[in-house]
Amino acid sequence: MGFMRIYGYTLSEDFKNFWEVPNLLLQKFPAETFTAITKLTFTAKEEGEKAGLIIMGWNYSYLSVCRKSGGFVLEQSVCTDAEQGNPEIVKELAQLPVSKEYKVGSPNYLIDIYIRVQVKPGGQCSFFYSTDGEHYLPIGEPFTARQGKWIGAKTGLFCVNPHGVDMRGWVDADWFRIDK
């Protein structure tokens, strides 16, 4: 159908960080410098559901779209020494409008978003977003990637639901590209 769908994984009651999340779709860093860009359509059924682009390793950071208060919020999350069970720190960065709403039981909210991460020498990562795929805005704080447990740092996509949510949302990745 022209996209890949990732259904939301429901986080545990005592969730601390993404080291417990099994449905991360990841790729090892392909080079010392590169840019990863994706076009996502996120369908959220409940408050707190989120999807986005992650840089994963012992330390990780991600840019996500989270359903909140009948709309969406762009967030950056960072976790240091994740394998040690440290909690992630989440910062709300911007309010985003709903692209489409439809009702099948409870209301479903959709948002179309483009997310980009630019990786420079030394693992220096910077996030960007766009609502039209043409004009990207820098957002969040720079992040330094760190290798994972068995292999180097990775980048990829995810979709999660907060603990206690029965209905789960999903994210459709129209494409995911790696450029120089």
Side-chain angles (χ1 to χ4, degrees):
M1 293 176 39
F3 60 85
M4 181 187 58
R5 179 167 287 173
I6 302 171
Y7 287 99
Y9 170 77
T10 302
L11 301 175
S12 68
E13 186 174 3
D14 58 345
F15 171 78
K16 289 198 169 100
N17 67 53
F18 267 48
W19 272 65
E20 81 171 46
V21 178
N23 72 335
L24 303 178
L25 182 62
L26 302 172
Q27 174 181 326
K28 187 176 174 182
F29 277 19
E32 184 179 23
T33 61
F34 67 94
T35 300
I37 308 168
T38 187
K39 178 186 180 221
L40 303 175
T41 300
F42 178 43
T43 302
K45 296 175 169 279
E46 300 288 339
E47 297 281 319
E49 293 179 330
K50 65 172 77 176
L53 178 68
I54 189 168
I55 299 294
M56 189 69 180
W58 276 328
N59 299 342
Y60 70 78
S61 182
Y62 60 83
L63 191 62
S64 66
V65 178
C66 183
R67 180 176 166 192
K68 288 191 178 175
S69 304
F72 291 99
V73 174
L74 198 58
E75 299 177 334
Q76 182 181 19
S77 299
V78 177
C79 185
T80 304
D81 293 323
E83 72 162 323
Q84 302 299 320
N86 292 336
E88 61 184 37
I89 298 167
V90 181
K91 289 183 186 175
E92 290 187 7
L93 304 173
Q95 298 283 334
L96 297 174
V98 172
S99 299
K100 183 179 176 185
E101 177 183 349
Y102 64 92
K103 291 193 177 196
V104 178
S106 63
N108 293 296
Y109 296 103
L110 277 79
I111 186 167
D112 295 315
I113 190 163
Y114 300 79
I115 300 176
R116 177 171 80 188
V117 64
Q118 188 174 39
V119 180
K120 294 183 178 176
Q124 294 298 311
C125 303
S126 300
F127 289 102
F128 302 82
Y129 82 101
S130 173
T131 55
D132 63 8
E134 298 290 324
H135 305 94
Y136 284 85
L137 301 170
I139 195 157
E141 297 294 322
F143 169 77
T144 302
R146 190 171 164 208
Q147 78 278 7
K149 192 165 187 130
W150 295 287
I151 60 172
K154 299 166 280 296
T155 186
L157 306 174
F158 70 91
C159 184
V160 294
N161 305 315
H163 175 73
V165 171
D166 292 332
M167 306 275 299
R168 42 182 203 165
W170 61 87
V171 66
D172 293 333
D174 190 19
W175 45 264
F176 182 91
R177 297 183 182 133
I178 303 287
D179 296 324
K180 290 184 179 183

